[in-house]
């Protein structure tokens, strides 16, 4: 008989090891929350909820489940009835509108603005600040930087409206780089709507700059969002568009497009193409010699292309091959790059699970979960959710319960 694994996993994360314990705990929680001593959930009811026909709880029970487990029934495997509206849905919509307004505020400032002199020396200032933001992102993660970087983009946008000639073109180029970084920060924070919006801003500014390298870079940025959305064909389309005039692009942009296209190929199950694209990118690495201040991950990140290959292998289910690559990569990634190390270790743990090595997977996950809580990176949290799915064959075993306990704080912080 099939089971409601989502509810079962949530129960184990909360520490309710048996159905009987869960029924007792949810009853006590509901009586306190509702101030109703008559509220009861029996073991028989909970057992049915974890079966193949969980049905739908009464509205007050749904509220109790949400308060106890942090998720609504439709997110826990229950069959949603027609017309069901979460009690807080209206409030969620208001928050969503407010959040989107804050996402767009820095990019959509109404004009015109008062004219001002724009000194060309500001270009160097913004470029130096950009490099500092890249380094800070490695240490801090997204949440502490989004406000700072988007505010600087707003200032650049304001200056573009007054600048002339080459100063204006240079500001457009640096503005595109700032917009791309804001988009990445939203993506790392798990806000795909915000990420897609800022990737669109990046592309607009790149097109206005007439810089073919930036235009290619902006297309790769769009492809990154599509990769996280699991749309492999769109990833390939965007990367092929970026490479249409490959001979006119600096090697760095070609490398970014090729490795991102490899991610698209991994999403469509094409292992041979993955290796072909990453090998082609690897041959270009020695030719990267530009002084552009953006898109320097390929020379800043240790083992950059092997990170991409290992990620693609993991997506293809090649656990043993991916695990070997992750072990090599993590030997050269510095401890200071905590957010990146956390994401890589979470992927390494999933590779171990795919290779039928659950004990190793859980041991690696322990360190990754700590980093996920510290950095609040949605990217690491998403990778740990993938690990959780890969570990389902052992969810009834002690090692599965250990994993549920390790991931508990990550789920709570999300």
């Amino acid at each position: 008989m099939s089971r409601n694994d989502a509810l079962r996993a949530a129960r184990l994360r909360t520490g309710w090891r048996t159905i009987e314990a869960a029924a007792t705990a949810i009853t006590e929680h509901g009586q306190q929350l509702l101030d109703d001593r008559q509220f009861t959930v029996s073991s028989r009811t909970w057992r049915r909820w974890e079966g193949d026909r969980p049905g739908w709880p009464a509205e007050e029970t749904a509220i109790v489940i949400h308060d106890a487990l942090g998720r609504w029934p439709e997110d826990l495997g229950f069959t949603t009835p027609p017309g069901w509206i979460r009690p807080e849905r209206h409030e969620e919509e208001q928050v969503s509108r407010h959040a989107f307004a804050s996402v767009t505020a820095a990019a959509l400032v109404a004009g015109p603005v008062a004219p001002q002199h724009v000194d060309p020396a500001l270009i160097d200032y913004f470029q130096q600040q950009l490099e500092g933001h890249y380094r800070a992102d490695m240490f801090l993660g997204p949440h502490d930087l989004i406000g700072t970087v988007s505010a600087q983009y707003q200032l650049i946008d304001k200056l573009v409206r007054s600048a002339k000639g080459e100063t204006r073109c240079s500001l457009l180029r640096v503005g595109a780089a700032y917009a791309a970084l804001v988009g990445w920060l939203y993506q790392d924070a798990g806000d795909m709507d915000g990420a897609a919006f800022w990737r669109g801003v990046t592309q607009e500014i790149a097109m206005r700059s007439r810089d073919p390298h930036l235009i290619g870079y902006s297309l790769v940025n769009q492809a990154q969002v599509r990769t996280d959305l699991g749309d492999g064909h769109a990833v390939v389309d965007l990367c092929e568009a970026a490479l249409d005039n490959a001979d006119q692009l600096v090697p760095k942009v070609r490398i970014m497009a090729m490795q991102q296209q490899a991610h698209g190929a991994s999403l469509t199950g094409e292992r041979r193409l993955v290796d072909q694209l990453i090998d082609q990118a690897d041959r270009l690495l020695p030719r990267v010699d530009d002084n552009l201040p953006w898109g320097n991950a390929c020379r800043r990140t240790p083992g950059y292309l092997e990170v991409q290959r290992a990620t693609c292998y993991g997506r293809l289910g090649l656990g043993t091959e991916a695990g070997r690559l992750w072990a090599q990569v993590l030997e050269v990634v510095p401890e200071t790059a905590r957010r990146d190390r956390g994401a890589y270790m979470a992927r390494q743990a999933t590779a171990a699970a795919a290779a039928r090595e659950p004990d190793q997977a859980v041991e690696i996950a322990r360190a990754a979960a700590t980093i996920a809580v510290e950095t609040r990176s949605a990217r690491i949290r998403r990778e740990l959710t993938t690990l959780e799915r890969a570990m389902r064959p052992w969810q009834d075993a002690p090692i599965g319960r250990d994993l549920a306990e390790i991931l508990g704080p990550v789920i709570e912080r999300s």
Side-chain angles (χ1 to χ4, degrees):
M1 182 179 72
S2 62
R3 298 184 303 181
N4 183 352
D5 290 329
L7 178 62
R8 186 176 183 282
R11 162 170 68 81
L12 292 174
R13 277 197 299 269
T14 307
W16 301 342
R17 301 304 186 194
T18 66
I19 285 175
E20 290 71 21
T24 299
I26 201 74
T27 294
E28 294 174 353
H29 191 92
Q31 289 178 355
Q32 182 175 2
L33 179 68
L34 302 173
D35 193 22
D36 179 3
R37 304 304 300 175
Q38 302 303 312
F39 178 84
T40 304
V41 173
S42 67
S43 299
R44 181 179 179 182
T45 296
W46 192 287
R47 188 170 288 105
R48 173 172 55 80
W49 287 350
E50 288 196 15
D52 62 340
R53 298 176 182 271
W56 185 258
E59 182 167 339
E60 65 177 14
T61 305
I63 293 171
V64 173
I65 290 172
H66 175 261
D67 194 73
L69 300 179
R71 299 181 184 180
W72 290 101
E74 64 262 43
D75 300 324
L76 291 169
F78 287 83
T79 305
T80 309
W84 161 253
I85 299 176
R86 293 181 181 181
E88 94 294 8
R89 180 63 57 80
H90 179 65
E91 179 181 344
E92 276 186 353
E93 291 172 352
Q94 289 180 321
V95 170
S96 178
R97 285 194 294 271
H98 174 74
F100 188 72
S102 67
V103 166
T104 62
L108 299 178
V109 177
V113 298
Q116 65 184 107
H117 172 69
V118 182
D119 195 298
L122 284 169
I123 308 301
D124 287 337
Y125 163 76
F126 285 119
Q127 290 181 346
Q128 291 168 10
Q129 291 284 307
L130 183 64
E131 182 57 35
H133 293 321
Y134 288 141
R135 291 197 302 270
D137 174 44
M138 294 175 62
F139 302 127
L140 297 174
H143 298 276
D144 294 321
L145 282 178
I146 285 176
T148 299
V149 182
S150 60
Q152 285 196 294
Y153 171 83
Q154 187 178 57
L155 174 57
I156 292 169
D157 180 59
K158 175 174 175 284
L159 295 173
V160 164
R161 302 184 192 197
S162 295
K164 307 293 183 184
E166 181 54 33
T167 300
R168 183 173 183 276
C169 290
S170 296
L171 276 174
L172 283 168
R173 288 192 288 268
V174 76
Y178 270 80
L181 178 54
V182 178
W184 157 246
L185 293 172
Y186 274 105
Q187 190 171 344
D188 192 36
D191 185 344
M192 298 308 292
D193 290 339
F197 172 82
W198 279 94
R199 300 305 200 190
V201 172
T202 303
Q203 192 164 10
E204 177 205 320
I205 303 302
M207 295 293 289
R208 288 168 59 190
S209 76
R210 308 292 204 280
D211 185 319
H213 312 301
L214 266 175
I215 293 169
Y217 178 56
S218 72
L219 289 168
V220 174
N221 273 257
Q222 295 277 25
Q224 288 177 344
V225 174
R226 286 291 170 177
T227 298
D228 275 6
L229 293 174
D231 188 351
H233 294 294
V235 175
V236 172
D237 290 341
L238 288 162
C239 292
E240 286 181 344
L243 292 167
D244 271 348
N245 298 303
D247 292 342
Q248 300 178 25
L249 299 176
V250 293
K252 180 171 68 181
V253 176
R254 293 161 65 185
I255 289 169
M256 285 189 287
M258 287 174 183
Q259 63 82 20
Q260 201 63 45
Q261 187 175 345
H263 286 285
S266 73
L267 286 165
T268 58
E270 299 175 79
R271 189 256 174 91
R272 182 178 297 180
L273 184 56
V274 166
D275 285 326
Q276 178 184 336
L277 287 162
I278 292 179
D279 289 345
Q280 288 176 2
D282 190 49
R283 288 193 288 271
L284 280 175
L285 264 181
R287 295 173 54 189
V288 176
D289 61 356
D290 62 84
N291 59 0
L292 299 171
W294 45 264
N296 288 310
C298 64
R299 55 187 171 191
R300 187 179 63 242
T301 305
Y304 173 75
L305 287 175
E306 293 313 296
V307 166
Q308 315 311 321
R309 195 191 304 268
T311 302
C312 291
Y313 280 6
R315 208 178 273 127
L316 288 163
L318 305 173
T320 302
E321 294 93 328
R324 282 198 295 264
L325 284 172
W326 284 125
Q328 295 170 19
V329 166
L330 286 163
E331 285 182 359
V332 298
V333 175
E335 293 289 342
T336 51
R338 284 187 64 72
R339 196 268 322 284
D340 284 348
R341 284 188 66 86
Y344 300 163
M345 284 190 289
R347 293 171 189 168
Q348 183 187 26
T350 300
R356 311 293 294 179
E357 297 177 357
D359 293 312
Q360 182 186 6
V362 171
E363 188 59 33
I364 297 168
R366 196 181 306 277
T370 299
I371 298 173
V373 172
E374 289 176 358
T375 62
R376 293 178 291 163
S377 169
R379 183 163 59 122
I380 304 176
R381 193 166 63 244
R382 185 172 60 248
E383 298 293 348
L384 290 172
T385 299
T386 301
L387 169 63
E388 189 177 40
R389 289 195 298 269
M391 285 288 292
R392 281 179 182 169
W394 298 277
Q395 62 187 4
D396 290 325
I399 195 69
R401 293 193 288 272
D402 287 346
L403 180 66
E405 185 174 338
I406 290 168
L407 299 186
V410 180
I411 303 300
E412 290 170 10
R413 288 295 296 270
S414 67

